[in-house]
Amino acid sequence: GAVRAAAAPSVELVEPGAYVDTAVREIDGAKKSVVAGMYLFRVAGGRGDAPATQLAEALARAQKRGVAVEVILDRGHEGGDPA
């Protein structure tokens, strides 16, 4: 049988300040899977416009539409202050 090579992932330069909008757009466009690796991730209570909240909501939307979502976090900052 024929062997198919996997498509190479695309790379996009993201300008300062555009990370969240770019990440949300990519997550919202995902069809099969999303793998997100983050150093520090905190969702601020009551701030629906906070970057972490926007990312968490996009990941939840992806999972609800059947996309496999995996989030990898740095355990070194689990529950504590990053200082």
Side-chain angles (χ1 to χ4, degrees):
V3 175
R4 292 183 348 151
S10 63
V11 176
E12 179 179 349
L13 176 62
V14 178
E15 297 296 325
Y19 168 75
V20 174
D21 291 339
T22 301
V24 168
R25 182 189 73 227
E26 293 297 318
I27 294 166
D28 284 343
K31 304 284 187 238
K32 294 182 181 181
S33 65
V34 173
V35 178
M38 297 176 214
Y39 173 70
L40 183 61
F41 187 79
R42 291 197 184 149
V43 176
R47 286 202 44 216
D49 64 339
T53 301
Q54 292 177 51
L55 292 171
E57 288 173 350
L59 291 166
R61 286 192 302 272
Q63 188 174 40
K64 285 180 184 175
R65 65 176 189 274
V67 173
V69 174
E70 179 179 3
V71 177
I72 302 166
L73 300 174
D74 178 2
R75 291 186 64 126
H77 291 93
E78 186 176 316
D81 201 341

